[in-house]
Amino acid sequence: AGSDSGGGAGIPADMKAMEFFRVFSSVAITATTAQNTVGVQDVHLLPENHLKDQILSNFDDFEGSLQVVKTGMLPNRAQIEIIADCLSSHAKKIGKEVSLILDPVMIASTGSRLVDDAAVEALKTKLIPMATLLTPNLPEAAFLLGKKESEVEASLDESAKQFF
C-alpha cells in the first residue's frame, strides 16, 4: 500500500485500524505521497526490487503465522505482478493460499487518479482473481467496471458479481 503523508489513508490508516482490532501488521510500501485534504501534490513510487524485498522479508519472518495480505494503492503493472508472483510462490511454499483483501485504491478522495491504465488491467487479470475479498469504493468499482457510479449503485449485487 501507499503511505499517505497526511495520515488519513494508506499505510497509516491501515495500521491504525489493525491496532484498534489488536491485529499485528507488517507492511510493504509501494509508494509515498505528498498529499493533504486539498489534493495529491506528488507520488513517488518505490523501486520494484525494494517492494519485492519488503514482501519476501515479511513472508520469511511470518511464514507460519501470516494469514491475510491486504493491499492498497498499487500504482503500476510491475508492482501488481510482483505481488501476484510473491503470493503464488508463498502459497506453494507453505502449501496453502493466504487470504487476499484487495482494496483497489485508484482514486484519492480528492479525485486524483493514483494508478495508470496498465495497472488497472493488471488488477483485473492478476489480483482480482486471487482476491478473497474485494473492497472498492463506489468510484473505484465504477471505474473498474467501466460504468457510471449511478449504474453501479443502482445494481450493487449485479455489479459485484461482474468482478468474479
Side-chain angles (χ1 to χ4, degrees), residues 129-164:
M130 298 174 80
T132 305
L133 179 63
L134 181 63
T135 64
N137 60 28
L138 186 58
E140 292 160 347
F143 185 75
L144 283 168
L145 293 171
K147 295 182 173 185
K148 294 179 183 177
E149 288 181 34
S150 59
E151 294 173 314
V152 172
E153 193 169 30
S155 60
L156 288 176
D157 289 342
E158 193 57 41
S159 294
K161 290 176 186 174
Q162 292 178 19
F163 285 111
F164 296 100

Side-chain angles (χ1 to χ4, degrees), residues 8 26 30 35-36 39 42 47 53 56 62 64-65 70 90 92 94-95 101 114-115 124 127 136 146 148 152-154:
S26 58
T30 59
Q35 71 183 81
N36 54 29
D42 189 33
D53 289 345
L56 294 178
F62 302 105
S65 60
K70 186 219 172 267
H90 186 67
K92 288 176 187 169
I94 65 170
I101 300 173
L114 301 170
V115 300
K124 291 178 181 179
L127 287 183
K148 294 179 183 177
V152 172
E153 193 169 30

Side-chain angles (χ1 to χ4, degrees), residues 3 43 62 66 68 81 103 136 144-145 147:
S3 183
V43 176
F62 302 105
L66 189 136
V68 178
E81 289 175 347
D103 183 5
L144 283 168
L145 293 171
K147 295 182 173 185

Side-chain angles (χ1 to χ4, degrees), residues 113-125:
R113 189 162 167 201
L114 301 170
V115 300
D116 62 30
D117 290 336
V120 174
E121 186 59 32
L123 274 172
K124 291 178 181 179
T125 60

Side-chain angles (χ1 to χ4, degrees), residues 53-71:
D53 289 345
Q54 291 178 80
I55 294 168
L56 294 178
S57 291
N58 285 325
F59 282 173
D60 288 345
D61 201 21
F62 302 105
E63 182 177 302
S65 60
L66 189 136
Q67 298 175 18
V68 178
V69 170
K70 186 219 172 267
T71 67

Side-chain angles (χ1 to χ4, degrees), residues 101-114:
I101 300 173
L102 180 58
D103 183 5
V105 177
M106 300 182 300
I107 304 166
S109 59
T110 58
S112 299
R113 189 162 167 201
L114 301 170

